[in-house]
Amino acid sequence: MREALPSLVELYADPDGQVRHAALLAAAACPVTPVTREVLAAMAETVTPQGVLGVAPLLDVDLGTALRGRPRLVVVLEAAADPGNTGTVVRTADAAGADAVVLTEGSTDPHGGKCVRASAGSLWHLPVVLGPSVTDTVAALHAAGLTVLATSGSVGADDLDALLDTGALTGPTAWLLGNEAAGLSGTALALADRTVRIPVHGRAESLNLATAAAVCLYASARAQRRRAGPQQVTDRGRPEAATGV
Amino acid sequence: MREALPSLVELYADPDGQVRHAALLAAAACPVTPVTREVLAAMAETVTPQGVLGVAPLLDVDLGTALRGRPRLVVVLEAAADPGNTGTVVRTADAAGADAVVLTEGSTDPHGGKCVRASAGSLWHLPVVLGPSVTDTVAALHAAGLTVLATSGSVGADDLDALLDTGALTGPTAWLLGNEAAGLSGTALALADRTVRIPVHGRAESLNLATAAAVCLYASARAQRRRAGPQQVTDRGRPEAATGV
């Protein structure tokens, strides 16, 4: 809730929430409406609401607006089905300093509670584009000067570590990741500039979608920043840029 | 199921599962018992079981056995609460070539269905130690020659990218990650050789536990393998070592 606070347009608090979250409510820039516990419970979809409930605007940004400027890191989920994964990818993209997230047509609705909670506020920290076709998305990414990399388990794909070794990840990059069960479509794989596989050193068959995104996005963030030096790639966020788990 | 097949001690299949998963059942080394759909539904905890159900042994390996040999990469979850996160971390540890996972006392039971499914078979691919104290765990890690790194959001922690730049991650390493809400305990932070923070370049407050583990484990795997060369660090798994999402 704290992370989403600057994005909220309305807040509701029951008597318990008014006491427990007094500092948060005092810091809010939007109107705060006191409600009974019963009203809050009816509004919330969780079994044990936290006593406060915020309303944020629907995500509404088009591809052209999201890719305006000179984006250096973008993540595209093609028809991602699991809202928890989607929210976690948005949170990771935010942490890695990505400029935008695109959820192509057929993706899960990110406004659902599971996705919103998994994103920990990041849905309102960077542009999240909903519903374009993968064809339109890749065309827009190319027009914005991004190299488009598709994750793949195929033996013919380029190894992520090898790409890091050759400096292939230092430029502006968009990562395409596919549906949890089906992977990327043939269309997406064909439109990408390269297919890339994350090395598996043990006996796992593959990685979870959100962890695969984390490995790729942090590999790109590190490659871009090492090349540019810390002064040239500006962090969008907090000056100390520190975090943990 | 396919990933867990070599670990199973019993398999049950309803008529539908016997047809749909005939190849999997034929490949099983353990006994296969035909059952009715009603019996399988009563045995399974999912709402829509897949027609086959496997029984795997309980995890039962102690710290000394898990750290025997010369472990190079170990992950420790201190009192991790979310079974989905725990299973995903085990899967990621397996993929990154880790030698063992330790779930300290107070951690969620990894035998639950959510954790088993999130691990995608990896719970039976590498030693998973249950329930030691964090003090005993760190002592055993040190005795096994591992440097113990604790993830932290603290500004005083070492930056992960800086550690990679200085080659501090090329040696045998254990990563300590804390509870989703509370982070690591003071005891764990005090016992670790260093505290390390994952850089956050955007506006996210922090990373999800499983994605943080992915970033740390893949950073270590890459640093260790670049130093050793591909011949010297042997993969435990499949020769092609390829994967995707």
Side-chain angles (χ1 to χ4, degrees):
Chain A
M1 176 67 85
R2 186 164 47 90
E3 297 83 357
L5 200 58
S7 320
L8 299 180
V9 292
E10 294 174 34
L11 266 169
Y12 297 86
D14 70 16
D16 182 46
Q18 290 165 38
V19 175
R20 280 168 58 206
H21 301 290
L24 180 136
L25 296 171
C30 66
V32 179
T33 306
V35 293
T36 65
R37 181 187 298 242
E38 290 70 26
V39 165
L40 196 93
M43 294 171 82
E45 65 175 31
T46 49
V47 178
T48 50
Q50 308 279 307
V52 296
L53 183 145
V55 177
L58 291 174
L59 302 171
D60 180 24
V61 55
D62 64 31
L63 212 42
T65 307
L67 301 180
R68 201 175 283 167
R70 296 176 59 189
R72 293 189 53 81
L73 187 57
V74 174
V75 58
V76 179
L77 296 187
E78 188 191 28
D82 182 279
N85 270 340
T86 300
T88 304
V89 170
V90 172
R91 180 178 177 186
T92 308
D94 181 13
D99 300 287
V101 176
V102 181
L103 308 176
T104 67
E105 56 188 351
S107 296
T108 188
D109 181 358
H111 297 102
K114 276 191 184 174
C115 182
V116 170
R117 285 191 296 278
S119 89
S122 291
L123 277 170
W124 289 274
H125 288 173
L126 75 174
V128 178
V129 184
L130 308 185
S133 71
V134 71
T135 306
D136 288 350
T137 302
V138 174
L141 294 167
H142 279 150
L146 293 140
T147 299
V148 178
L149 304 182
T151 56
S152 164
S154 150
V155 181
D158 295 319
D159 181 84
L160 177 65
D161 278 339
L163 290 187
L164 285 166
D165 288 338
T166 58
L169 295 186
T170 53
T173 299
W175 285 99
L176 305 188
L177 293 114
N179 173 273
E180 289 86 347
L184 285 167
S185 66
T187 305
L189 290 168
L191 290 170
D193 299 303
R194 285 174 186 266
T195 55
V196 181
R197 69 169 187 273
I198 298 171
V200 166
H201 307 296
R203 288 165 59 203
E205 289 284 322
S206 64
L207 287 166
N208 163 277
L209 172 62
T211 54
V215 172
C216 294
L217 289 169
Y218 265 87
S220 278
R222 175 166 161 77
Q224 292 181 356
R225 280 155 209 276
R226 286 191 91 193
R227 185 201 185 190
Q231 312 86 310
Q232 291 178 47
V233 177
T234 51
D235 288 337
R236 292 184 295 105
R238 298 170 300 153
E240 78 271 30
T243 191
V245 184
Chain B
M1 176 66 84
R2 187 163 46 88
E3 297 83 358
L5 201 57
S7 319
L8 299 180
V9 292
E10 293 174 34
L11 266 168
Y12 297 86
D14 70 15
D16 183 45
Q18 290 165 39
V19 174
R20 280 168 59 206
H21 301 290
L24 180 136
L25 296 171
C30 66
V32 178
T33 304
V35 292
T36 64
R37 180 186 299 239
E38 289 71 26
V39 166
L40 195 94
M43 295 170 81
E45 65 176 30
T46 49
V47 178
T48 51
Q50 308 280 306
V52 297
L53 182 145
V55 177
L58 290 175
L59 302 171
D60 180 24
V61 56
D62 62 33
L63 210 44
T65 307
L67 301 180
R68 202 174 284 166
R70 297 175 58 188
R72 293 188 55 79
L73 187 57
V74 173
V75 59
V76 179
L77 297 186
E78 188 190 29
D82 182 280
N85 271 341
T86 300
T88 304
V89 170
V90 172
R91 180 178 178 186
T92 307
D94 182 14
D99 299 288
V101 176
V102 181
L103 308 176
T104 68
E105 57 188 350
S107 296
T108 186
D109 181 358
H111 297 102
K114 276 191 184 175
C115 182
V116 170
R117 285 190 296 279
S119 88
S122 291
L123 276 172
W124 288 274
H125 287 174
L126 77 173
V128 178
V129 185
L130 308 185
S133 71
V134 72
T135 307
D136 290 349
T137 301
V138 173
L141 294 167
H142 279 150
L146 293 140
T147 298
V148 178
L149 304 182
T151 55
S152 166
S154 149
V155 181
D158 295 319
D159 181 84
L160 177 64
D161 278 340
L163 290 187
L164 285 166
D165 288 341
T166 58
L169 294 186
T170 55
T173 299
W175 285 98
L176 304 188
L177 294 113
N179 172 274
E180 289 86 348
L184 284 168
S185 66
T187 305
L189 290 167
L191 290 169
D193 299 302
R194 285 175 186 267
T195 55
V196 181
R197 69 170 189 273
I198 298 171
V200 166
H201 307 295
R203 289 166 57 203
E205 289 285 322
S206 65
L207 286 167
N208 163 277
L209 173 61
T211 53
V215 171
C216 294
L217 289 168
Y218 266 87
S220 278
R222 176 166 160 77
Q224 293 182 353
R225 280 155 209 275
R226 286 190 91 193
R227 185 203 186 188
Q231 312 86 309
Q232 291 178 48
V233 177
T234 51
D235 288 336
R236 292 182 298 103
R238 299 168 301 153
E240 75 272 30
T243 193
V245 187

